[in-house]
Amino acid sequence: MSDDSYIFDITEKNFDDLVIQNSHQLPVVLLFMGVYSGHCITMERSLSEYARDFSGQFIFAKVDIDEQPELVKSFDIQNLPTTFIMRDGEISEAVEGFIEKDELGILLKGMGIYRRSDELREQAREAYSQGDVAKAVQLLTEAIQSDPGNVRVAMDMVQIMIDLNQLEQATGLFNRLPDSAKSSPMGKALVGQLTFRELAAKTQGKEALLKQVQAGGAEPQTRFDLALCLIAEHDYPQAMQQLLAIIEQKPQFKEGAARELAITVTNMLEANEPQMSQQFRRQLANLQN
């Protein structure tokens, strides 16, 4: 279960106890928000995740401006969202406007709220992007040993195992993650990758399928299998090209399997590749029209 014991809905009546008094013990991140604002809701979710992740290191206090007009007046709120950092009963920092999750992480780190394992994770990601797989694995292993509860580190290790085609090890590590991690955007992406790797392994293989497509007159099943192989290798644009060709030529192939797969990929990419996801949605909509 997630720990929400450091997350509070603030009213005029509990403000002194939950914000002012608590700020003498821990930093308090005070968010003035409107439930109708997408940016406010996004920040609320991000700060809630951080409050659970860094449980006991800071307090997240949120104010619904429609329900607490006196607090809005007291703090002279002009724009939403507005964020205050409270320490020792005083405002130490104020930020008007939307703050991205990564920027919130930087803000918290400036308050001394961070995990050493996350720093090791970032170093591992940098090493991996430069092709140094051994160093990346070493850094992630060190991070896991120092902070076993950091599921982000474990999920990065799963990703490397998938990339190295170590599917059995990747599946084993993934299955040991808590349900909250498995259902997160990154967790769902990993499930998708594991699934597509397993499906691709049951085809003739990318090279054989590609030759058949390039020769012309390929059957929808050949294109579909090739799309699975391409998705498994993260080549989403080429995979979508094959799926769109099936949808255009034979939309009822296996009761719309190509369209269903295209939608699955589009949704899978939404969290980490929003621009690509939007492009695929437009392409699907154009075919529909």
Side-chain angles (χ1 to χ4, degrees):
M1 294 180 61
S2 60
D3 184 2
D4 291 346
S5 56
Y6 293 89
I7 302 172
F8 299 104
D9 291 307
I10 302 304
T11 67
E12 187 180 3
K13 291 182 178 180
N14 66 22
F15 180 82
D16 186 67
D17 287 339
L18 296 182
V19 176
I20 299 300
Q21 297 303 319
N22 278 337
S23 72
H24 290 279
Q25 307 299 323
L26 292 172
V28 176
V29 179
L30 178 64
L31 175 69
F32 282 83
M33 59 174 290
V35 296
Y36 50 80
S37 165
H39 278 164
C40 289
I41 296 301
T42 298
M43 277 192 64
E44 178 195 18
R45 290 173 179 167
S46 296
L47 284 166
S48 293
E49 289 178 14
Y50 278 127
R52 296 182 188 110
D53 196 28
F54 301 125
S55 183
Q57 295 190 51
F58 79 98
I59 289 168
F60 173 36
K62 46 185 174 173
V63 179
D64 183 336
I65 63 162
D66 293 323
E67 296 184 358
Q68 306 300 325
E70 291 303 317
L71 288 177
V72 172
K73 182 178 179 181
S74 176
F75 278 81
D76 190 27
I77 301 301
Q78 301 295 323
N79 297 296
L80 292 179
T82 294
T83 309
F84 297 97
I85 307 301
M86 307 288 295
R87 292 178 182 271
D88 298 320
E90 303 289 339
I91 298 172
S92 65
E93 191 169 351
V95 182
E96 288 190 350
F98 177 66
I99 309 174
E100 294 280 1
K101 186 173 182 180
D102 287 349
E103 294 172 341
L104 285 170
I106 294 171
L107 179 66
L108 292 173
K109 188 173 182 180
M111 298 158 57
I113 301 168
Y114 68 98
R115 296 167 87 161
R116 169 60 179 160
S117 57
D118 279 331
E119 293 188 335
L120 291 170
R121 176 180 178 240
E122 289 305 316
Q123 293 173 23
R125 286 192 157 198
E126 178 64 23
Y128 193 61
S129 69
Q130 295 178 359
D132 194 342
V133 178
K135 184 177 181 180
V137 170
Q138 175 190 341
L139 288 164
L140 289 176
T141 300
E142 181 181 345
I144 289 174
Q145 291 173 343
S146 67
D147 188 359
N150 192 335
V151 296
R152 293 184 296 274
V153 175
M155 287 195 286
D156 277 2
M157 187 71 87
V158 172
Q159 181 65 72
I160 290 179
M161 290 175 176
I162 291 174
D163 292 344
L164 296 177
N165 212 32
Q166 298 173 351
L167 301 186
E168 185 175 346
Q169 297 94 317
T171 301
L173 179 55
F174 183 83
N175 287 339
R176 293 197 295 273
L177 295 174
D179 290 341
S180 58
K182 294 175 183 176
S183 61
S184 70
M186 186 175 180
K188 291 178 180 178
L190 291 173
V191 170
Q193 291 181 58
L194 284 167
T195 300
F196 286 120
R197 287 276 179 156
E198 291 171 358
L199 291 172
K202 297 176 182 177
T203 70
Q204 299 175 47
K206 187 183 78 170
E207 298 305 323
L209 294 165
L210 190 59
K211 286 181 180 179
Q212 294 176 49
V213 170
Q214 291 173 340
E219 292 293 322
Q221 185 65 58
T222 301
R223 289 187 179 277
F224 189 84
D225 288 350
L226 177 57
L228 291 173
C229 294
L230 292 166
I231 293 168
E233 295 184 359
H234 314 307
D235 191 347
Y236 302 112
Q238 291 300 319
M240 188 60 66
Q241 182 179 329
Q242 299 303 321
L243 294 172
L244 292 174
I246 298 171
I247 297 169
E248 188 171 14
Q249 296 167 12
K250 195 173 182 180
Q252 297 308 314
F253 166 71
K254 287 192 172 180
E255 300 181 348
R259 182 173 185 81
E260 184 177 338
L261 179 55
I263 292 172
T264 297
V265 172
T266 299
N267 292 337
M268 188 175 71
L269 293 173
E270 191 168 4
N272 298 318
E273 297 286 352
Q275 291 184 338
M276 189 181 297
S277 178
Q278 290 173 11
Q279 178 187 343
F280 291 166
R281 288 191 195 283
R282 286 194 297 269
Q283 290 175 320
L284 287 167
N286 289 338
L287 277 182
Q288 185 70 25
N289 297 330

